[in-house]
Every structure is written in structure tokens, then in C-alpha cells.
Amino acid sequence: MTAPNAAQIADWNGAVGERWAAEQQSLDALIQPFGDAALAAARAAPGEKVLDIGCGCGETSLTLARAVGPSGEVVGVDVSGPMLRVARNRAAGLANISFIEADASQAPLPAGFSLLFSRFGVMFFDQPVEAFTRMGRALAPGARLAFVCWQPAALNPWATVAARAALAAAGLPTPQADPRAPGPFAFADPEYTSGILEQAGFSNIAITPLEAPMRLGASPAEAAQSALKVGPASRIAREAGPDAFPALLQAVEAALTPHASASGEVLLPGRTWVVTANWH
Ligand SMILES: C[S@@+](CC[C@H](N)C(=O)[O-])C[C@H]1O[C@@H](n2cnc3c(N)ncnc32)[C@H](O)[C@@H]1O
């Protein structure tokens, strides 16, 4: 039997994690508005103990560490060795922040956290109810949960425009994946997400839509390069292989061109859910 979350763990320690680590600054800028909304909903206060699930390169862990101050503590948990290397470098010398390299749904976590937080890091579990049940055991009674996740891919053209063009250029069929399979869009249906949290023991669940523009690049050419580095189109580029890359790049640039502003900038909307709840 395959170990839980094996495919995701391999991805985040392979090309996907390496790309996220290399592109940390631009990706943090791209998704900052969504993280800011989740952080505002989380209301981390001085002295709090916070768990940042799927913390990646550590951006939100660092922000949370500033909010909880020297009397508080932030622990970031992630499966990705390459991304945690970036996070640890960024947090060097800070006493109130540490990182655990582990599957958050399987690892024995320390206890007594008052806040469970995540920016786009909780949609990758094979067994989400079990994952949230186990993560809940690390929480103190009455602890809060706050995370942000994507609405359906069909409402997120930043993901679909480039991917559709790349698929067509590569001559690959449209993948028929289960929309709830582990991946960025697994929590797109708020009823499904709310059911998972309820079954795991969370209450007072609120799921609020949040839309913000995403700046994909200063020009269609730049946006196409980025789309083929990270995100759904980049997976297609890897599958198609290096020989197909120039054709994919050209097709993705052409597909993004109608979305460029007068200055050339490519801005497309990102649509997410901000989810909050209480533990028991
Ligand atoms: C889309 S990235 C978001 C990273 C970071 N939160 C950010 O906003 O920049 C998803 C993160 O979830 C992590 N992840 C996926 N499955 C995980 C698991 N089972 N346990 C812990 N982290 C996981 C990945 O390694 C990756 O860092």
C-alpha cells in the first residue's frame, strides 16, 4: 500500500517544490492579498502559539511570528525540503519561530496551539477528515482555525487560460481528474470543506469569498514564462518535455495577450475562500 500523501510529498520535494523555492519572492507577491485576508481573519495576538500548516517558504510564518511577538511562538510544518530550506534561512536568528519537516496529517505535533493557520497549504491531503482530526489534537480547547483556499479552477482564469493553451499546444488530452483530489482546487466547494471540518471536530465554521487581482507579469511574454514555471500550465510543460517548450511558450503568450492592459501588464482575478472555525 502507498504511504498517505506520497504523490504530493514527491511533488513538493521535486520540481514543484524546487520551483516554488526559486520563485519565492515573486510567488509571495502574487498571492499576498489572499494571505493578508486570511491573516486578518486569524487575528493572531501577542503571546499566542500558532501552527502554520503547509508553510512553504515561510512568508506567513514570519508575519505571524511578528504578530505573536517574543512571548509567542510559531511552528511551520511542511513536507517540502527545498521550501523549508528557504524558510529556515529567512527565519535565521528569530527565537519565536521554528519549522518541522513532516506530513502535517501524520506527524506527532506538539500540543497547545491557539491558532491553526494556512495560506493555500491544506488542500493536499489524501484523507482530509483524518488530517484535520489529527491536526486538531495539537490545538488547545477553543483554538481558532483560519485558512485561505481556491474557489473552482473555472473561476480562476490565472490557472486555466495558460493551462488550456499549453494543453492544446502539447496535443495532450484534458485531464479528467476528480475535482476533490488533493491539489490546489480540492476545497473549491464550501459545503464539502465545511463537512470535512465539522466531521473533524470544528464548529462555528464561516466561509467567505475573497477576490483579488493577480499580476501575472509585466507583459504577456513575462506572464507566459512564469505560468510555465509554476502552476497548472507548468505541469503540462513538464509532461510535454523540453522539446515542446518553445511551442508552449508561444501558445501561452498568445492566450494571455488579450488579457493585457494598455501598459502590457497581465492581471487576472484570483477567487478564493477565507475559512474560519473554532476547535470544539
Ligand atoms: C501552494 S503551497 C503554499 C505554501 C505557503 N503556505 C505559501 O503560501 O507560500 C502548498 C504547501 O503545502 C505543503 N504541503 C502539501 N502537503 C502537505 C502535507 N501533507 N503536510 C504539510 N505540508 C504539505 C507543500 O509542500 C507546500 O509548501
Side-chain angles (χ1 to χ4, degrees):
M1 213 177 84
T2 326
N5 306 315
Q8 289 294 328
I9 295 172
D11 270 5
W12 292 104
N13 280 288
V16 178
E18 295 287 356
R19 291 275 174 86
W20 271 76
E23 301 295 320
Q24 173 256 316
Q25 287 186 343
S26 59
L27 289 169
D28 278 339
L30 184 69
I31 59 178
Q32 186 182 340
F34 310 110
D36 284 351
L39 287 163
R43 296 177 287 103
E48 278 205 274
K49 222 176 140 181
V50 183
L51 203 48
D52 187 1
I53 299 293
C55 63
C57 299
E59 176 70 11
T60 53
S61 309
L62 289 160
T63 307
L64 287 161
R66 284 190 290 274
V68 301
S71 60
E73 184 189 352
V74 177
V75 177
V77 184
D78 205 287
V79 288
S80 172
M83 292 168 78
L84 282 181
R85 268 196 291 283
V86 176
R88 287 192 168 113
N89 274 338
R90 297 173 82 195
L94 298 176
N96 66 346
I97 180 166
S98 60
F99 297 99
I100 300 175
E101 183 175 338
D103 178 344
S105 70
Q106 301 293 315
L109 297 170
F113 292 91
S114 53
L115 173 62
L116 180 66
F117 178 87
S118 185
R119 182 177 80 173
F120 299 128
V122 287
M123 306 86 83
F124 302 95
F125 304 117
D126 288 338
Q127 297 178 319
V129 175
E130 287 75 1
F132 276 93
T133 306
R134 276 164 171 260
M135 292 189 294
R137 291 187 196 136
L139 300 179
R144 305 174 323 281
L145 164 79
F147 68 78
V148 62
C149 59
W150 295 108
Q151 291 188 26
L155 296 175
N156 277 292
W158 63 267
T160 53
V161 172
R164 263 198 302 267
L167 264 182
L172 292 169
T174 308
Q176 299 299 326
D178 170 1
R180 290 173 179 173
F185 302 102
F187 284 2
D189 173 359
E191 272 184 40
Y192 171 67
T193 307
S194 163
I196 288 169
L197 295 176
E198 242 170 61
Q199 287 178 67
F202 288 86
S203 60
N204 200 19
I205 300 158
I207 303 187
T208 312
L210 171 79
E211 177 177 336
M214 295 177 71
R215 186 183 180 278
L216 304 185
S219 65
E222 190 183 290
Q225 287 280 359
S226 304
L228 292 176
K229 275 189 199 152
V230 176
S234 71
R235 288 181 181 273
I236 298 159
R238 277 194 297 280
E239 202 182 322
D243 290 349
F245 191 84
L248 265 63
L249 189 60
Q250 200 180 22
V252 172
E253 183 180 338
L256 289 169
T257 298
H259 301 281
S261 68
S263 69
E265 215 178 31
V266 181
L267 282 169
L268 282 170
R271 297 191 175 97
T272 62
W273 300 114
V274 176
V275 180
T276 56
N278 291 103
W279 178 238
H280 293 311

